[in-house]
Amino acid sequence: MEKRKLGFWEIWNMSFGFLGIQFGFALQGGYMSRIFQTLGAEPHDIPGLWIAAPLTGLLVQPIIGYLSDHTWSTRFGRRKPYFLIGAILSSFALFFVPYSSTLWIAAGFLWILDASINVSMEPFRALVADKLPDEQRSYGFILQTLIIGIGTWIASNLPWLVKKMGFAESTDLTVIPQNVKVAFGIGAMVFLISILYTVLTTKEYPPKDLEDFKKKKRDTNFWKEIKGSYSEMSGTMLKLGIIQFFSWFAFFTMWSMATPALTDHVFNSPAPMKKNFNMEIAAEKANFETLNLAYQNAADTVGSAMGIYGLSSMAFALILTFYSSRMKINRKWVHLFSLIAGGIGFLSMSFLPEPSYLNLSFVLIGFSWGSILSMPYAMLSSSVKEEKMGLMMGMFNMFIVIPQIIAALGGVNLLSKIFGNGAIAPMLLAGTSLVIGGFCNLLITDPKVTKG
């Protein structure tokens, strides 16, 4: 079956569920470290607490990709059942995670949340390749990025907005603020509604030959196909994997360490540790509450600033959407310059003349984020077999999660020492990693992959 070109609103509808997915990721990325610190985690403990996120992606995405490749229902389609299952589970986890009473419960909810988001997210990538002809795939992935940028910006600012509505901060470091709880509840609702919108407005193409599809489904098994697919990995996929390694190491470092790094270095308001204060003495208790309030306000500001990278990625995607709807783009060069721009954004955080300039740093980081969410997938989709698109997209995820696992198991703490012992060192590490990833785009040479 020859795929027809789709209009803007058709592609928008099939990608709209990513708004909810990004609400989940943005709230998780912007506020989980704050929740961990509120429940007593030291800054050096935080990367390890994030280990659940990449581990679940490594396990879940290839399995979901394989299952969705071999699923077909005339009523529910191929990818849509997985969108819906993931949305229900993610909404449950999002709602309850800020009510965690202990650190281990919060870490457990992060595990459930990330696994559930991955169930929804992987089929969305494959759906673009399922529905769009090759010449529209850059456009499709960029439009997804536009929706992701909208979700990132709104969700990152939700706790700040909710506080303005009257939900106050807490002066007790051991209590997760009410504005964060309300924001996560709103995120859960948006996640479910946006996925339902895509499910109800999007139709999927059936397999080209339904009988052959059923036969292959009976004759194949997961482990055999995984093994065969690893041996079929193209050189392009492996080169893209190197780029992804440095890109996602950088962003994992930001998600896990931006709050402690920036509240300390930029705002001079690190999280006070209750164990360092004698709460029986009124003066020390008052000092603790003052320092904690300063930290909570700084953390809100950092969360809002992180929302800027979603806004700039949205602007980046909007420009590319208009351009790519009319002309071809060189995916390699777009990705190269975007990653380097983000690297400069991270590096600039060490010498900001005043905190307001932090927004400019995140604008540059947004260019990287917009490209990371579109260009590698557009390049990959031009280099793999369509009948294995879900599985290959899921396997490609290992180049995202392995660097995050390395970072969580000590890579961030160890490599940050190259840049000194200051709180800002992890952000310098992130910037350097993005610059290296940018230059690695020079490895991509296949014209079919770079132009689209």
Side-chain angles (χ1 to χ4, degrees):
M1 179 189 297
E2 186 175 346
K3 298 174 185 175
R4 67 179 179 86
K5 287 190 174 182
L6 301 185
F8 172 86
W9 288 112
E10 290 175 294
I11 301 175
W12 175 274
N13 290 344
M14 67 186 254
S15 301
F16 188 74
F18 245 118
L19 179 74
I21 291 173
Q22 200 53 37
F23 260 70
F25 269 129
L27 289 168
Q28 170 185 297
Y31 295 95
M32 277 308 303
S33 290
R34 178 179 177 180
I35 289 172
F36 288 151
Q37 283 192 291
T38 300
L39 294 173
E42 301 272 6
H44 60 80
D45 295 326
I46 290 173
L49 291 168
W50 275 80
I51 190 67
L55 275 177
T56 51
L58 183 64
L59 296 170
V60 170
Q61 287 218 18
I63 295 171
I64 296 300
Y66 171 83
L67 292 174
S68 66
D69 280 344
H70 293 85
T71 295
W72 176 251
S73 164
T74 53
R75 182 176 180 182
F76 299 108
R78 171 177 290 175
R79 315 292 181 186
K80 292 193 294 183
Y82 300 94
F83 301 165
L84 192 55
I85 292 169
I88 293 169
L89 294 173
S90 297
S91 298
F92 170 83
L94 267 175
F95 181 84
F96 284 105
V97 68
Y99 291 92
S100 302
S101 57
T102 63
L103 201 53
W104 71 267
I105 292 176
F109 268 122
L110 175 61
W111 195 301
I112 296 169
L113 175 60
D114 210 76
S116 305
I117 291 175
N118 275 286
V119 171
S120 284
M121 184 179 69
E122 193 284 330
F124 264 101
R125 300 293 189 195
L127 185 65
V128 171
D130 289 347
K131 295 274 290 181
L132 297 179
D134 191 62
E135 62 268 24
Q136 272 199 307
R137 287 181 187 167
S138 291
Y139 181 44
F141 283 115
I142 291 166
L143 191 54
Q144 271 192 357
T145 301
L146 174 61
I147 293 171
I148 289 169
I150 294 170
T152 300
W153 179 61
I154 297 174
S156 296
N157 282 284
L158 264 181
W160 171 84
L161 178 62
V162 169
K163 186 172 74 171
K164 293 294 183 183
M165 294 166 60
F167 293 91
E169 299 280 10
S170 170
T171 57
D172 186 347
L173 185 65
T174 62
V175 175
I176 296 168
Q178 188 67 24
N179 63 321
V180 173
K181 293 178 179 178
V182 174
F184 272 70
I186 293 171
M189 181 177 64
V190 172
F191 199 122
L192 188 58
I193 291 173
S194 63
I195 294 285
L196 281 171
Y197 179 85
T198 287
V199 168
L200 295 173
T201 60
T202 301
K203 292 184 178 180
E204 298 186 70
Y205 292 130
K208 293 177 181 179
D209 185 332
L210 190 56
E211 290 305 316
D212 184 58
F213 174 83
K214 291 177 180 178
K215 181 178 183 300
K216 287 181 178 178
K217 181 179 178 179
R218 288 194 302 268
D219 294 344
T220 190
N221 68 74
F222 175 71
W223 297 112
K224 183 178 179 181
E225 191 156 340
I226 281 281
K227 182 179 178 181
S229 297
Y230 272 114
S231 65
E232 293 173 14
M233 276 190 185
S234 65
T236 295
M237 186 171 177
L238 293 172
K239 291 171 184 176
L240 286 169
I242 295 172
I243 299 166
Q244 291 286 81
F245 181 94
F246 289 106
S247 302
W248 286 88
F249 187 96
F251 272 85
F252 181 87
T253 301
M254 180 191 75
W255 293 325
S256 61
M257 296 303 294
T259 297
L262 299 176
T263 52
D264 188 334
H265 181 82
V266 176
F267 294 93
N268 197 29
S269 298
M273 300 306 296
K274 202 167 187 177
K275 65 183 181 182
N276 297 329
F277 295 82
N278 186 341
M279 304 302 284
E280 301 297 323
I281 301 175
E284 288 206 32
K285 181 179 179 182
N287 185 34
F288 167 81
E289 290 178 349
T290 299
L291 293 174
N292 182 52
L293 183 60
Y295 164 73
Q296 298 288 1
N297 288 332
D300 277 342
T301 306
V302 170
S304 294
M306 288 179 72
I308 296 293
Y309 86 83
L311 189 62
S312 65
S313 72
M314 181 174 65
F316 170 89
L318 188 61
I319 293 168
L320 282 185
T321 297
F322 284 122
Y323 187 87
S324 63
S325 66
R326 293 167 175 81
M327 301 177 67
K328 290 184 179 293
I329 60 173
N330 190 305
R331 299 159 174 169
K332 176 175 81 173
W333 290 109
V334 168
H335 202 39
L336 185 151
F337 287 115
S338 299
L339 293 185
I340 291 175
I344 293 170
F346 278 118
L347 296 172
S348 70
M349 291 174 176
S350 64
F351 52 83
L352 298 177
E354 59 177 87
S356 62
Y357 282 84
L358 187 62
N359 291 335
L360 181 57
S361 298
F362 278 111
V363 166
L364 295 175
I365 291 167
F367 296 157
S368 288
W369 185 236
S371 191
I372 286 169
L373 294 174
S374 54
M375 293 300 105
Y377 298 100
M379 288 190 273
L380 177 66
S381 69
S382 297
S383 66
V384 301
K385 295 178 180 178
E386 287 201 16
E387 63 269 21
K388 289 189 174 183
M389 191 64 67
L391 177 58
M392 298 308 284
M393 287 283 182
M395 289 173 60
F396 188 56
N397 188 57
M398 74 179 183
F399 297 116
I400 296 173
V401 299
I402 289 175
Q404 295 183 66
I405 292 170
I406 292 172
L409 289 177
V412 171
N413 290 335
L414 180 64
L415 295 176
S416 291
K417 295 184 186 303
I418 297 172
F419 302 93
N421 294 318
I424 199 63
M427 299 301 97
L428 301 180
L429 172 63
T432 303
S433 186
L434 267 189
V435 171
I436 294 171
F439 282 115
C440 286
N441 279 273
L442 297 174
L443 298 170
I444 308 295
T445 56
D446 185 345
K448 180 186 174 185
V449 170
T450 59
K451 294 184 179 180

